[in-house]
Amino acid sequence: METAFKRTLDAIFPVDRTPEAEGQARLDNLTKPVGSLGRLEELALQLYLIQGGQPPQADPMRIYTVAGDHGVNAEGVSPYPQEVTRQMVLNFLADGAGINVLAKTVGAELFVVDAGCCGGPFDEHPALIQAKVAPGTANLAEGPAMTREQCVEALMLGVSLADRAHADGVKVLGTGEMGISNTTPSTALYAAHLGLDPAGLTGPGAGLPEGSLAAKTAVIRRGLEANKQAVDSGDPVDILAALGGFEIAALAGLVLGGAKNRQLVCVDGFISTAAYLAAWKIHPAVKDYCLLSHASAEPGYSAVVEAMGVTPYLHLGFRLGEGTGAACAMFLVRAAANIYNQMATFASAGVSESA
């Protein structure tokens, strides 16, 4: 598995910027003041470069909502019991969740992935991918959440999801997740990778009362101390194994696989951004292939994106996860592609250019 993972990393390259001037020239020649569509133009150019200097295509789009459970839930870091992860997987498959509605609205295909839910297999369903690495992680507050082997397996699961989409012609991917207590491993990953104080990052997640945040912060500090050797090593895979989750590692693999396949990846909120951060630490070139969909309402998110030097596209107060922010960002991706391809130029429209 390590050999296959290394082959994946060896196949990731930064985008070729040779066509950039030509793509920018077209955007500048559309019937509008230069740069007047702001970040939509940036997104159109990013998609154009990812796709090798061809007229950008947004469709087909696909979202993977990846589920996994967490041993750290035993520490009382979530107001919800662990069985809610499994119940929400069933809700996704019954088309009853926010991500189902938004994926349909934007025209994105949705698959649900069991990367590490507690319990046995689910009943088969055409929208379900059963790839359980293990039935939940160990408690990161007491030691590594995963073995390195399990982590690499989850990473390669994510790569396989990107490959499956690529084989189906998918141009744009969206990351989504479900896992009770998964803001805790995400916060631990941010603290480990960015050197930020957990006290400034720890938020309510799925609705933890304000009075419980200090205890949640203490759990994260315990996890960082219990896994100090991995954190101090600086090895991003070892850090992910120690502090992450199966769904987080699979989403990191999805980002890596998307970069390998030259697919744009719309990264969702707090948990998905932790997966993106892990992937970015593993291979920095993934940044060329990703956008941060929205600014999570989790209190620590603004410090995270500032430390990473990235700017999310949307500010909607979202904190649901599931891929809901990624789905909304897909509207912007389609709009960016259509602006590039369908707007008239000054010459074709017979409009006079500025002096």
Side-chain angles (χ1 to χ4, degrees):
M1 196 72 79
E2 288 270 4
T3 302
F5 182 58
K6 185 179 184 305
R7 282 201 300 268
T8 296
L9 300 185
D10 289 344
I12 298 172
F13 300 95
V15 296
D16 178 6
R17 297 200 169 270
T18 305
E20 185 169 12
E22 184 177 347
Q24 188 63 58
R26 174 169 174 79
L27 287 165
D28 291 346
N29 198 36
L30 299 177
T31 49
K32 58 174 179 55
V34 171
S36 58
L37 284 174
R39 296 194 71 197
L40 208 60
E41 296 187 39
E42 294 175 21
L43 182 51
L45 186 61
Q46 181 183 11
L47 195 59
Y48 169 83
L49 292 175
I50 287 172
Q51 296 177 359
Q54 299 299 312
Q57 298 179 52
D59 292 292
M61 296 176 167
R62 179 178 295 178
I63 298 168
Y64 287 109
T65 298
V66 188
D69 277 308
H70 298 267
V72 76
N73 185 71
E75 302 290 338
V77 292
S78 173
Y80 287 96
Q82 196 150 60
E83 54 264 29
V84 170
T85 302
R86 193 173 185 90
Q87 291 165 356
M88 282 302 298
V89 167
L90 297 175
N91 190 29
F92 298 144
L93 298 176
D95 278 345
I99 187 56
N100 298 98
V101 174
L102 291 175
K104 285 181 179 179
T105 302
V106 74
E109 189 177 21
L110 175 66
F111 281 95
V112 183
V113 184
D114 175 13
C117 293
C118 287
F122 291 87
D123 292 339
E124 293 296 330
H125 188 284
L128 175 65
I129 298 170
Q130 307 213 48
K132 196 191 305 288
V133 178
T137 59
N139 184 351
L140 67 84
E142 298 178 347
M146 299 172 271
T147 65
R148 182 180 173 95
E149 291 73 21
Q150 287 176 324
C151 185
V152 172
E153 182 179 347
L155 284 162
M156 288 306 296
L157 164 60
V159 173
S160 76
L161 297 176
D163 288 348
R164 175 174 174 161
H166 184 62
D168 292 339
V170 171
K171 304 294 185 184
V172 178
L173 295 168
T175 70
E177 46 61 44
M178 179 64 218
I180 293 301
S181 295
N182 63 6
T183 58
T184 296
S186 298
T187 304
L189 287 168
Y190 289 134
H193 281 308
L194 301 175
L196 299 173
D197 187 344
L201 297 177
T202 305
L208 199 67
E210 180 73 27
S212 300
L213 291 184
K216 182 177 177 181
T217 303
V219 169
I220 293 165
R221 291 194 193 282
R222 281 172 51 207
L224 293 168
E225 183 59 34
N227 294 286
K228 189 174 188 302
Q229 183 176 350
V231 173
D232 289 349
S233 76
D235 184 315
V237 176
D238 286 345
I239 293 170
L240 181 58
L243 300 173
F246 293 125
E247 82 279 34
I248 297 171
L251 290 175
L254 182 65
V255 169
L256 292 164
K260 173 178 70 75
N261 297 334
R262 305 183 70 84
Q263 295 160 296
L264 178 67
V265 184
C266 298
V267 178
D268 197 37
F270 195 80
I271 291 91
S272 286
T273 302
Y276 164 74
L277 174 58
W280 180 42
K281 291 292 185 178
I282 291 169
H283 202 306
V286 302
K287 70 180 186 298
D288 289 352
Y289 301 90
C290 295
L291 63 85
L292 294 195
S293 298
H294 71 108
S296 168
E298 278 289 291
Y301 194 74
S302 58
V304 165
V305 294
E306 182 179 353
M308 294 170 65
V310 289
T311 305
Y313 273 82
L314 299 169
H315 291 71
L316 300 171
F318 279 18
R319 55 181 181 85
L320 176 59
E322 304 178 359
T324 49
C328 288
M330 286 175 163
F331 286 102
L332 299 182
V333 176
R334 186 173 288 115
N338 288 349
I339 287 295
Y340 188 98
N341 293 320
Q342 297 175 19
M343 270 187 78
T345 62
F346 284 99
S348 69
V351 175
S352 300
E353 298 187 52
S354 61

